[in-house]
Amino acid sequence: MKSVEGGTFALYSLLCRHAKVSTIPNQHKTDEELTTYSRQTYEENSLAAKVKKWLEGHAYKKNCLLILVLIGTCTAIGDGILTPAISVLSAAGGIRVQNQNMSTDVVVIVAVIILIGLFCMQHYGTDKVGWLFAPLVLLWFILIGSVGLVNIHKYNSSVLKAYNPVYTFRYFRRGKSEIWTSLGGVMLSITGTEALYADLCHFPVLAIQIAFTLVVFPCLLLAYTGQAAYIIDHKDHVVDAFYRSIPEAIYWPAFIIATLAAVVASQATISATYSIIKQALALGCFPRVNVVHTSKKFLGQIYIPDINWVLMILCIAVTAGFKNQSQIGNAYGTAVVIVMLVTTFLMIPVMLLVWKSHWILVVIFLVLSLTVELPYFTACINKVDQGGWVPLVIAITFFVIMYVWHFCTVKRYEFEMHSKVSMAWILGLGPSLGLVRVPGIGFVYTELASGVPHIFSHFITNLPAIHSVVVFVCVKYLPVYTVPAEERFIMKRIGPKNYHMFRCVARYGYKDIHKKDDNFEKMLLDRLLIFVRLESMMDGYSDSEDFTIMEQKAERSSRSLQLIEKAGGNTLSSIGDLSYSSQDSIVPAKSPLTGNSLTRYSSQTFGDELEFLNRCKDAGVVHILGNTVVQARRDSGFVKKVAVNYVYAFLRKLCRENSVIFNVPHESLLNVGQIYYI
């Protein structure tokens, strides 16, 4: 089954591949996304090209698009809180129908117990019990469809006239405000569809289309029509019409099935919330949290412990706070309609840029969608004071968190990218880097997979010594189940051999647990030694096609260097540019140094460097972690200072520390901090 993700963030990601509308640096994108983006071509005068140019024209347009995406995303997260609350509370309410003397508090306690059990079981994932969901939901729809059909036949078959649009027109022509606000209740009949698209990674699209058309939609029509027929004869049973309309003989089996179906529905929205958070993490719009993949087969089946407990607490608070389905329903409807409106507006640029649809089709889509959604929106907004404020508060809270985190993260990443140390500067320092090279190996952890991070220059500028061997370590997580240990590390050499500087990219799959790598340091050292051995073998094996290419590059670099020296120009910058292209590679060519240095180091044997590395290893290993602190400038406004200096700083403290992620021993840990003012 192909892993597909939907929702507002998926639409935003799709737009980012076809236009430069993302406020996130390109380094956050995968190679596949960058390749896809480079393939997009538009005719200069086409509508898609004009829309692309308009979106890319100003930064505020990109920012407005991001804000729209975050509004829909945060409201969908609120939906993930309200759905379990209203679903489980509605199902648990069935125990009170048979015993009217039972207190409402008992129903609330039962609902809270079910919710706690549901969230406590999340870490097991749905992979092992997922096979039960489809038969259970199918049984649920057959049940409500059959009960609705029986009620239509038993109580009032004339209710079928409601399908005639003429009666709908007459209903609204009465003009009373209560009639218009009743649309908020009608909205609850289509809830759940807004979370469906964020959870596509669990099911094929065709399966959802077939199931909805042939099972879900007909059974829902029969169920609601049957309840309407029952209410016509029992007008005092409006509050709990569903359970009262069930025949006495099958009441308790129906109650059990309804409770289990509520759990499945809650599970679907919880999984959708996990998927949304994961997409937000990938786009740099959410603080770092631990994402646990619960399935070997399906990449989309995940569990986020921190988010799980937050959802549980908020669900219990909503359930115990309102105690009735009516107010939760008002809040639920508001959340759903906002998500639908945001999705509709995001579909406009998608249709124009991605699908390249004709503008007439776009206008038709917009008119038809808003004709349905705007009346529901106005009806739900009128109930803000009756519980509709809940999703707004939740959405605003998550919006502040995500927008502040995204803004500060992008600023910090841009600072690190623009402040990368050039190879010209490194080469200008000489083999000693302008410092005392003390025995030992220093692992410098960085998020950059290329170039020398600014934190390194900050380190050697403020300290008088650096280790004899420096290895820049970058940990990347790939969208695969696991990366074999023998393929986990990619080693490269930075600069000439006598600089003893390397880069290591450690690759992990989504099921690999970095924290359990007790021998991570040993694996790094072993990979470094293996790399030196392989490099020595490649130096003596001139038949290699790759090496020949690198050798030709080195020869061209040497000839260029000689021409520059004859011209008497400033060669420092040129040497850096030339050496970087050839040295920062898997199989480095020889260093384009001066003649004496080249002769001296070309005579260095393979055994000498291995012995040197082993001596440094015995001298000790130090792990150097960079910590860039972001603060607002002194002349910044009050809101910016609060957002950056307090909100973002608080979120950074809550995030997983790099030392925990990398499992770095504290006795060999060295934190290097720097402050960046924005």
Side-chain angles (χ1 to χ4, degrees):
M1 180 173 67
K2 183 179 179 181
S3 176
V4 181
E5 291 180 334
T8 53
F9 259 130
L11 294 175
Y12 181 65
S13 179
L14 194 61
L15 286 174
C16 292
R17 300 177 191 178
H18 290 75
K20 297 178 181 179
V21 297
S22 175
T23 59
I24 304 163
N26 286 339
Q27 284 73 17
H28 283 287
K29 297 181 181 180
T30 62
D31 293 337
E32 182 181 355
E33 288 175 323
L34 291 173
T35 303
T36 304
Y37 173 73
S38 63
R39 291 175 181 170
Q40 304 307 319
T41 56
Y42 302 100
E43 295 181 7
E44 185 176 355
N45 296 323
S46 66
L47 181 60
K50 293 179 181 178
V51 173
K52 179 176 179 290
K53 183 178 180 180
W54 183 82
L55 285 175
E56 297 177 351
H58 297 88
Y60 77 89
K61 297 175 183 177
K62 302 176 184 179
N63 203 36
C64 290
L65 182 63
L66 176 65
I67 290 174
L68 180 65
V69 170
L70 291 182
I71 290 174
T73 301
C74 296
T75 311
I77 294 174
D79 187 14
I81 296 170
L82 296 171
T83 299
I86 190 173
S87 300
V88 174
L89 185 62
S90 300
I95 60 176
R96 191 168 177 265
V97 173
Q98 294 293 321
N99 187 2
Q100 294 296 320
N101 296 325
M102 182 180 294
S103 173
T104 306
D105 294 336
V106 176
V107 178
V108 173
I109 292 173
V110 172
V112 169
I113 292 174
I114 295 175
L115 286 173
I116 293 175
L118 173 64
F119 283 101
C120 289
M121 297 294 290
Q122 289 299 312
H123 68 280
Y124 292 108
T126 59
D127 196 28
K128 297 180 180 179
V129 296
W131 62 274
L132 288 172
F133 289 177
L136 182 61
V137 172
L138 179 62
L139 181 62
W140 161 252
F141 280 117
I142 292 175
L143 171 67
I144 62 175
S146 302
V147 170
L149 192 61
V150 170
N151 289 334
I152 293 171
H153 176 73
K154 182 178 180 180
Y155 294 107
N156 195 335
S157 59
S158 63
V159 73
L160 295 175
K161 295 180 181 179
Y163 292 105
N164 189 341
V166 174
Y167 291 98
T168 304
F169 175 76
R170 292 177 181 176
Y171 177 74
F172 286 105
R173 195 175 61 176
R174 298 176 189 175
K176 295 182 180 180
S177 59
E178 294 82 3
I179 295 175
W180 188 260
T181 55
S182 66
L183 284 175
V186 177
M187 185 71 190
L188 296 178
S189 65
I190 58 174
T191 54
T193 55
E194 78 292 342
L196 174 65
Y197 300 102
D199 208 22
L200 285 178
C201 49
H202 290 77
F203 309 99
V205 176
L206 181 61
I208 295 176
Q209 293 172 337
I210 295 175
F212 187 85
T213 305
L214 300 181
V215 179
V216 177
F217 188 63
C219 290
L220 286 178
L221 286 179
L222 290 174
Y224 289 126
T225 306
Q227 290 181 44
Y230 177 83
I231 291 173
I232 291 175
D233 285 2
H234 304 83
K235 295 182 176 60
D236 55 335
H237 292 170
V238 174
V239 177
D240 45 15
F242 171 73
Y243 277 116
R244 288 184 176 274
S245 64
I246 297 176
E248 189 72 24
I250 61 170
Y251 181 83
W252 288 113
F255 169 76
I256 295 174
I257 295 174
T259 304
L260 294 176
V263 171
V264 173
S266 302
Q267 177 63 53
T269 54
I270 293 171
S271 299
T273 304
Y274 294 156
S275 178
I276 291 171
I277 297 297
K278 179 189 172 187
Q279 294 176 54
L281 278 170
L283 292 174
C285 295
F286 203 84
R288 293 190 304 270
V289 290
N290 183 28
V291 179
V292 180
H293 292 258
T294 58
S295 173
K296 294 182 179 180
K297 298 178 181 179
F298 307 115
L299 177 61
Q301 294 189 9
I302 59 176
Y303 164 67
I304 305 178
D306 300 330
I307 300 301
N308 181 70
W309 304 125
V310 171
L311 291 179
M312 185 186 75
I313 293 172
L314 293 177
C315 279
I316 293 174
V318 170
T319 303
F322 286 112
K323 295 184 179 181
N324 66 81
Q325 306 167 27
S326 177
Q327 287 186 322
I328 300 179
N330 294 336
Y332 193 24
T334 305
V336 170
V337 73
I338 291 176
V339 175
M340 290 183 172
L341 278 173
V342 170
T343 305
T344 297
F345 289 127
L346 284 177
M347 281 299 299
I348 298 174
V350 169
M351 293 179 70
L352 292 173
L353 283 177
V354 182
W355 298 347
K356 300 181 182 179
S357 303
H358 196 278
W359 66 270
I360 295 179
L361 294 177
V362 177
V363 172
I364 293 174
F365 164 79
L366 183 62
V367 171
L368 292 178
S369 299
L370 294 183
T371 301
V372 176
E373 293 168 1
L374 285 180
Y376 284 122
F377 177 74
T378 55
C380 292
I381 289 298
N382 289 331
K383 296 183 178 181
V384 169
D385 59 337
Q386 303 174 28
W389 57 270
V390 174
L392 299 180
V393 172
I394 295 173
I396 291 173
T397 303
F398 276 94
F399 177 83
V400 170
I401 292 173
M402 296 175 74
Y403 188 81
V404 169
W405 180 266
H406 173 267
F407 174 78
C408 296
T409 301
V410 168
K411 291 296 182 182
R412 183 173 66 89
Y413 195 85
E414 287 178 348
F415 166 74
E416 293 179 354
M417 286 299 301
H418 296 157
S419 303
K420 287 194 302 184
V421 180
S422 66
M423 283 304 300
W425 186 78
I426 294 291
L427 292 173
L429 296 176
S432 65
L433 300 178
L435 303 170
V436 177
R437 300 294 292 265
V438 297
I441 299 178
F443 290 120
V444 182
Y445 291 86
T446 174
E447 295 180 2
L448 303 179
S450 62
V452 179
H454 180 267
I455 198 71
F456 179 70
S457 66
H458 182 72
F459 177 81
I460 64 177
T461 303
N462 292 275
L463 291 178
I466 190 65
H467 299 87
S468 300
V469 178
V470 177
V471 181
F472 297 100
V473 181
C474 176
V475 178
K476 294 294 183 182
Y477 293 91
L478 307 180
V480 295
Y481 180 73
T482 184
V483 177
E486 63 274 9
E487 301 177 7
R488 179 156 297 165
F489 299 99
I490 298 178
M491 295 293 301
K492 301 180 182 180
R493 186 186 292 275
I494 299 177
K497 285 187 176 181
N498 57 329
Y499 280 58
H500 302 297
M501 295 174 63
F502 304 87
R503 172 178 293 107
C504 175
V505 178
R507 303 177 300 175
Y508 283 81
Y510 58 80
K511 197 62 178 177
D512 294 326
I513 302 177
H514 193 133
K515 191 175 180 180
K516 291 187 177 180
D517 267 347
D518 298 329
N519 60 341
F520 180 69
E521 180 181 301
K522 180 179 180 299
M523 294 171 67
L524 279 176
L525 294 172
D526 291 343
R527 178 55 59 179
L528 179 60
L529 297 176
I530 293 174
F531 169 76
V532 173
R533 292 192 186 97
L534 291 176
E535 185 186 43
S536 176
M537 294 171 61
M538 293 292 287
D539 285 342
Y541 187 56
S542 58
D543 291 338
S544 172
E545 181 180 354
D546 294 335
F547 180 75
T548 302
I549 295 174
M550 298 307 302
E551 203 171 39
Q552 292 172 356
K553 290 183 179 179
E555 290 176 359
R556 288 196 299 267
S557 299
S558 300
R559 288 195 298 268
S560 301
L561 180 59
Q562 292 172 2
L563 291 174
I564 293 171
E565 288 176 343
K566 289 179 181 179
N570 186 356
T571 62
L572 181 59
S573 177
S574 300
I575 291 174
D577 294 339
L578 292 171
S579 61
Y580 182 76
S581 63
S582 59
Q583 292 300 326
D584 195 4
S585 58
I586 294 290
V587 186
K590 297 179 180 180
S591 306
L593 299 173
T594 59
N596 294 335
S597 300
L598 183 60
T599 304
R600 183 171 67 254
Y601 283 99
S602 62
S603 63
Q604 182 184 28
T605 62
F606 154 68
D608 292 337
E609 188 168 12
L610 273 186
E611 183 181 354
F612 175 77
L613 291 176
N614 284 320
R615 287 201 308 268
C616 293
K617 174 183 174 183
D618 296 336
V621 176
V622 175
H623 299 262
I624 304 171
L625 294 179
N627 184 22
T628 303
V629 178
V630 178
Q631 291 187 359
R633 290 195 179 105
R634 293 182 179 180
D635 57 347
S636 301
F638 174 77
V639 175
K640 186 175 181 180
K641 286 183 178 179
V642 171
V644 177
N645 296 346
Y646 296 97
V647 177
Y648 180 71
F650 176 72
L651 294 174
R652 282 291 299 268
K653 290 181 180 179
L654 293 180
C655 286
R656 305 174 71 210
E657 294 289 340
N658 286 332
S659 58
V660 176
I661 298 175
F662 298 141
N663 194 30
V664 175
H666 291 285
E667 60 273 10
S668 60
L669 173 64
L670 177 61
N671 273 303
V672 180
Q674 60 180 348
I675 300 177
Y676 171 52
Y677 292 95
I678 60 175

